[in-house]
Amino acid sequence: MDEIMIKPALHSAVGGLTLLTALIATALNWTALRKGSPGQGASHASLILLQLLLLAQAAVGIKLLDQGMGVIQKYVHYLGGLGALALLLLPAWLPARLRRPALPAWTATASLLFIVMTFFIGQLYVRGLQNG
């Protein structure tokens, strides 16, 4: 693994895909809630896919940090990426008596906000490196 070098563009691409998936997951979960079927079917699958993409994004980010890139903004990424993932895992951590039908939709929305923050701060950083 140490010999493999990746480019920051991969991190941006996976980040864009993660952002798109977060938007879709949020919309699907609110739609499922309105239809009375939260946490089922496509809404549930979208949250699983989003979690997997966040893990992939974290793995790519860790590799970039290992290569000496992105050290300046690592705390934004820790907060944004891991915070987004933690929010998606929250329903599984809560006792069943505290889970509500709207919880997946709300956690998807909160996770989306973390992802948006992290993505756009990261893009500003990349543009600053390209221009400076």
Side-chain angles (χ1 to χ4, degrees), residues 4-132:
I4 298 172
M5 299 299 283
I6 61 170
K7 296 183 185 231
L10 177 62
H11 195 53
S12 291
V14 176
L17 186 58
T18 303
L19 178 60
L20 178 61
T21 303
L23 285 166
I24 292 168
T26 301
L28 285 173
N29 277 277
W30 281 108
T31 301
L33 181 64
R34 282 190 206 100
K35 290 182 177 181
S37 60
Q40 297 176 9
S43 64
H44 185 68
S46 69
L47 291 175
I48 292 170
L49 177 60
L50 181 54
Q51 290 172 32
L52 291 172
L53 281 169
L54 283 165
L55 289 171
Q57 182 71 341
V60 172
I62 289 167
K63 179 61 179 156
L64 286 171
L65 283 172
D66 182 54
Q67 292 173 200
M69 300 176 158
V71 175
I72 294 172
Q73 59 171 190
K74 66 182 175 183
Y75 296 109
V76 168
H77 279 72
Y78 291 156
L79 175 66
L82 296 178
L85 184 58
L87 285 164
L88 292 173
L89 295 173
L90 180 66
W93 296 340
L94 291 175
R97 63 182 168 76
L98 295 178
R99 295 184 203 148
R100 302 287 182 256
L103 190 58
W106 281 112
T107 56
T109 302
S111 183
L112 172 64
L113 294 174
F114 273 75
I115 293 166
V116 166
M117 174 200 69
T118 306
F119 180 81
F120 286 105
I121 290 174
Q123 291 303 306
L124 289 172
Y125 175 76
V126 169
R127 286 193 187 108
L129 287 179
Q130 291 171 347
N131 295 332

